[in-house]
Amino acid sequence: MIDTNAQFDAALKICRDLYVKKLHDYGAAWRIMRASSITDQIFIKANRIRSLEIKKESKVGEGILPEFIGIVNYGIIGLIQLMKGHAETEDMSVEEAIELYDSLVAETKALMIAKNHDYDEAWRSMRVYSYTDLILMKILRTKQIEDNDGATLVSEGIDANYKDMINYSVFAIIKLTEK
């Protein structure tokens, strides 16, 4: 029997390990970024994935998997920025950045578990490129909400969109690494 929780944890371990290594190399330099800039960074990664899916060739040499890992990590960074606001300097220790990462991953995983229950693991029957399209749609929604200064009438907020982007990316990581 397939254990979604274990697969989710394994995929997130890959993402967390890279996040921690980049914190070592760069610190939390991303603290200066506004949330809307994080959204744009996620857009760049998702757009590159779509481009590679369509062209079936990378001239840079990096494939699709690292971009999905990047979306997970930038999604968590985006959630941190929404919670803390952007800073004028790097104002967060590596330890705090890791604690916040772990806390937000736990929240995002809880959302995945609830939705996975309701949707009965429908993600397993989806194609990876559908995750890409859904992420791009979520980015466009997020940009619209950002352009409306965070105001929505009936829709979920920016944080919910980031969490969905993270979860779709984790599903893609699972599918891309289980083959």
Side-chain angles (χ1 to χ4, degrees):
M1 181 170 176
I2 298 171
D3 184 353
T4 299
N5 287 331
Q7 287 181 305
F8 195 90
D9 290 344
L12 276 166
K13 182 180 180 336
I14 295 167
C15 300
R16 186 184 188 276
D17 287 350
L18 182 62
Y19 176 83
V20 170
K21 287 175 184 171
K22 288 199 174 202
L23 277 172
H24 174 269
D25 290 351
Y26 306 128
W30 46 262
R31 284 288 295 133
I32 66 160
M33 295 179 76
R34 292 168 280 199
S36 57
S37 296
I38 302 292
T39 302
D40 287 342
Q41 187 63 36
I42 294 169
F43 170 76
I44 290 167
K45 295 197 165 297
N47 197 60
R48 181 167 186 272
I49 292 168
R50 186 171 172 145
S51 173
L52 293 174
E53 289 169 342
I54 292 167
K55 294 175 186 170
K56 309 234 185 281
E57 176 188 15
S58 170
K59 294 209 174 192
V60 180
E62 293 180 352
I64 291 170
L65 180 62
E67 300 296 354
F68 279 116
I69 293 167
I71 291 172
V72 170
N73 288 341
Y74 273 111
I76 297 294
I77 289 168
L79 291 169
I80 293 170
Q81 296 302 77
L82 289 174
M83 180 190 326
K84 309 270 293 168
H86 71 277
E88 296 302 318
T89 62
E90 184 183 337
D91 67 344
M92 185 178 291
S93 69
V94 167
E95 294 79 7
E96 183 182 4
I98 293 170
E99 283 177 30
L100 286 168
Y101 186 96
D102 291 340
S103 170
L104 291 163
V105 160
E107 279 182 30
T108 304
K109 182 180 178 186
L111 175 67
M112 180 278 298
I113 290 168
K115 285 187 173 186
N116 204 33
H117 171 271
D118 290 357
Y119 288 97
D120 202 23
E121 300 229 340
W123 67 271
R124 290 193 182 276
S125 298
M126 294 172 63
R127 298 170 185 98
V128 171
Y129 66 76
S130 293
Y131 306 137
T132 307
D133 292 349
L134 287 165
I135 291 166
L136 285 164
M137 179 193 61
K138 293 283 183 179
I139 292 166
L140 293 176
R141 288 179 176 182
T142 300
K143 287 177 147 201
Q144 185 63 49
I145 296 168
E146 289 168 346
D147 291 346
N148 292 337
D149 295 322
T152 61
L153 297 177
V154 296
S155 303
E156 297 175 313
I158 295 168
D159 59 334
N161 282 289
Y162 278 153
K163 287 177 183 175
D164 285 345
M165 289 181 238
I166 293 164
N167 283 330
Y168 287 132
S169 295
V170 171
F171 293 154
I173 293 165
I174 291 168
K175 284 199 154 205
L176 291 170
T177 57
E178 73 183 356
K179 291 182 177 181

